[in-house]
Amino acid sequence: MSTRTLIRGGLVVTAAEEVHADVLIEDGRIAALAGHTTATARSWTADRVIDATRKYVIPGGVDAHTHMELPFGGTAASDTFETGTRAAAWGGTTTIVDFAVQSRGEALRAGLDAWHAKADGNCAVDYAFHLIMSDVNAATLREMPRLIELGVTSFKLFMAYPGVFYSDDGQILRAMQRAGETGGLIMVHAENGVAIDVLVAQALARGETAPRHHGEVRRALLEAEATHRAIRLAQVAGAPLYVVHVSAAEALAELTAARDQGLPVFGETCPQYLFLSTDDLAAPGFEGAKYVCSTPLRPKEHQAALWRGLRTDDLQVVSTDHCPFCFAGQKELGRGDFSKIPNGLPGVENRMDLLHQAVVDGHLSRRRWIEIACAAPARMFGLYPQKGTIAPGADADLVVYDPHAVHTLSVTTHHMNVDYSAYEGRTVTGRVETVLSRGTVVVDRGTYTGRAGHGTFVPRTTCQYLD
Ligand code: URP
Ligand code: ZN
Ligand code: ZN
């Protein structure tokens, strides 16, 4: 028997338009939209009616960059797929794209299987995977088309972290050539890791061991240089490129110049680069460790360039790079040596609210908010229109969002499995009220009603900006 849910009275906001409409959901999908006062909407009956008067009805967020349970720096990210996707649901994100990791000496498929083993049956919301290639060689290059067939259409390569995830320029060029042939999308972590390692050793030798030195050695110029190099390698390979976690204005300028040349080059930034800065990294004592991530936080002056890039579409996506490590016992591994602080920040629960705050602050329009948080990541990674919009046939991944509610972000109220909030004490206007994942209510006006295992793996098609 079919189940029908009706969301009544809200302002439906998508990347394309804003309409006062009721939304009818049938069997997990959006069946129809109709103006509140139309005869069509008035004729609708449903098993459940959700009142969205004075609220927005928005697509569920698509967070295209998370690291649940990622092994890193001798420890592992503290959110499991269960806790991390539950927190995502609380924050209005109904799809994550997490990074499966190919270990050195192993097949790509082994990395994917390992991530399925972690995620399958445990997620509260839907999930997909990218694949981190730690070992680009003839065998793994041959394997790439099979991964694409399995719905894993994007591959992350690291220009940073020599000896761990690092690929050299030749490996990157080969992977880009293969992606160009097969329709895959190469994502790069653009920092010159070889040069950074020299600066790390020199800083430690001078006795500069505090967290703020992490930001100082990972120079903006070395992000810009790597971004430039990745763009040129992609151009030579005839392949598209997606640069993850852009934080420096100089790196963004490289993307802007490439896009002005008509190259298929895309970029993502993250809330931490828009709302936090080196001032946080320089917090007294060892507190700055909470803000250690790579690319690093930058001086506040970079933020204006990132906001502008989001408005001008030189940056297309805001993802979280959610990679939480507890302060106690994990970040503390780097006391006395900043290079041993595990890299990463929590944020999967905060992204939709922080970006709505950017609407309130005048950085973004309401539709651009939905575009960078829902529609563009879905299109970029082959999930649209199943995800990222509100239209007949799409999955009923929906959020009833109260744009007037004021709340304070804090470790005492968040649901991420981490012992601090990167945004502790920050007051934001706008709050998730009710969340549906494929028509199932998973958050109901402040109560979690979801379950581990509701979320399913979503195979992805190739990047839809290249169609
Ligand atoms: O600091 C970060 N970003 N940690 C996660 C791994 C990565 O490079 O994305
Ligand atoms: Zn990275
Ligand atoms: Zn990441």
Side-chain angles (χ1 to χ4, degrees):
M1 218 184 62
S2 84
T3 54
R4 282 158 67 102
T5 302
L6 182 55
I7 305 181
R8 230 179 210 148
L11 176 67
V12 174
V13 184
T14 65
E17 60 184 357
E18 303 184 1
V19 283
H20 290 277
D22 295 351
V23 182
L24 183 66
I25 299 160
E26 217 162 17
D27 296 332
R29 296 230 172 129
I30 295 164
L33 289 89
H36 304 315
T37 55
T38 59
T40 306
R42 283 210 231 122
S43 74
W44 285 341
T45 55
D47 308 291
R48 179 170 193 165
V49 178
I50 297 170
D51 180 21
T53 311
R54 288 186 295 282
K55 312 280 160 60
Y56 300 156
V57 181
I58 61 173
V62 178
D63 190 342
H65 189 153
T66 69
H67 299 284
M68 307 305 171
E69 308 181 33
L70 176 74
F72 191 101
T75 183
S78 57
D79 260 319
T80 62
F81 278 90
E82 180 172 348
T83 63
T85 55
R86 191 166 59 216
W90 273 105
T93 286
T94 50
T95 308
I96 62 162
V97 191
D98 201 87
F99 286 83
V101 181
Q102 176 227 356
S103 302
R104 292 210 163 182
E106 291 195 1
L108 302 185
R109 181 63 194 265
L112 176 61
D113 290 349
W115 253 252
H116 271 298
K118 292 177 204 243
D120 294 356
N122 293 320
C123 291
V125 297
D126 288 352
Y127 59 99
F129 293 127
H130 312 285
L131 196 108
I132 288 175
M133 290 180 79
S134 315
D135 196 353
V136 178
N137 58 46
T140 55
L141 287 167
R142 263 197 311 275
E143 250 193 296
M144 286 170 73
R146 178 69 187 133
L147 272 285
I148 293 173
E149 280 168 18
L150 293 169
V152 178
T153 58
S154 40
F155 303 86
K156 183 177 177 188
L157 298 170
F158 285 78
M159 302 172 95
Y161 305 130
V164 189
F165 294 130
Y166 176 80
S167 295
D168 67 27
D169 289 355
Q171 290 172 310
I172 292 171
L173 181 66
R174 282 182 197 280
M176 286 173 167
Q177 287 171 330
R178 193 78 175 127
E181 289 157 16
T182 57
L185 180 62
I186 296 297
M187 313 166 79
V188 293
H189 176 135
E191 287 188 293
N192 186 327
V194 174
I196 286 169
D197 276 4
V198 171
L199 298 181
V200 169
Q202 290 171 345
L204 292 174
R206 287 193 298 271
E208 295 168 359
T209 59
R212 71 184 164 86
H213 297 293
H214 170 85
E216 286 166 11
V217 297
R218 302 188 87 92
R219 302 268 295 269
L221 277 180
L222 295 177
E223 183 187 343
E225 182 276 327
T227 304
H228 179 87
R229 194 157 28 103
I231 290 166
R232 294 304 163 220
L233 291 171
Q235 190 177 10
V236 167
L241 171 69
Y242 180 91
V243 182
V244 295
H245 48 54
V246 175
S247 68
E250 295 88 338
L252 172 56
E254 297 289 347
L255 290 174
T256 303
R259 289 178 63 80
D260 288 348
Q261 288 166 19
L263 295 172
V265 167
F266 308 99
E268 152 200 287
T269 191
C270 311
Q272 51 270 35
Y273 307 120
L274 297 164
F275 290 91
L276 304 173
S277 72
T278 44
D279 294 351
D280 298 287
L281 256 181
F286 191 61
E287 283 291 293
K290 293 176 177 174
Y291 303 96
V292 166
C293 58
S294 297
T295 56
L297 302 184
R298 301 294 180 193
K300 270 199 183 76
E301 293 68 45
H302 291 250
Q303 291 172 357
L306 298 178
W307 287 120
R308 191 171 53 249
L310 286 170
R311 285 192 296 274
T312 57
D313 204 36
D314 288 311
L315 294 169
Q316 293 75 36
V317 171
V318 176
S319 308
T320 58
D321 195 5
H322 176 78
C323 190
F325 297 99
C326 288
F327 184 74
Q330 293 196 295
K331 290 288 188 182
E332 280 179 335
L333 292 169
R335 269 192 201 278
D337 179 349
F338 68 83
S339 71
K340 296 201 164 57
I341 302 169
N343 286 200
L345 257 59
V348 74
E349 191 171 347
N350 305 131
R351 183 182 67 126
M352 297 301 285
D353 284 340
L354 287 167
L355 292 177
H356 181 261
Q357 184 60 40
V359 175
V360 173
D361 293 344
H363 292 299
L364 301 172
S365 70
R366 242 177 345 213
R367 276 172 271 172
R368 187 65 179 155
W369 167 46
I370 299 307
E371 185 156 32
I372 62 179
C374 310
R379 281 203 176 99
M380 190 68 69
F381 297 109
L383 291 164
Y384 195 89
Q386 182 184 355
K387 307 292 187 189
T389 194
I390 302 178
D395 283 355
D397 291 356
L398 296 164
V399 177
V400 177
Y401 195 83
D402 182 348
H404 309 293
V406 174
H407 65 118
T408 301
L409 307 180
S410 173
V411 65
T412 59
T413 48
H414 77 202
H415 303 86
M416 298 175 284
N417 184 38
V418 59
D419 64 358
Y420 72 96
S421 169
Y423 306 98
E424 187 64 40
R426 189 178 291 259
T427 296
V428 291
T429 301
R431 180 175 210 156
V432 169
E433 188 174 280
T434 294
V435 181
L436 291 86
S437 165
R438 279 177 285 104
T440 297
V441 175
V442 295
V443 176
D444 185 7
R445 292 161 296 168
T447 303
Y448 180 68
T449 54
R451 64 173 176 86
H454 164 81
T456 59
F457 173 70
V458 191
R460 297 182 290 111
T461 180
T462 53
C463 174
Q464 294 164 308
Y465 284 110
L466 303 168
D467 292 347

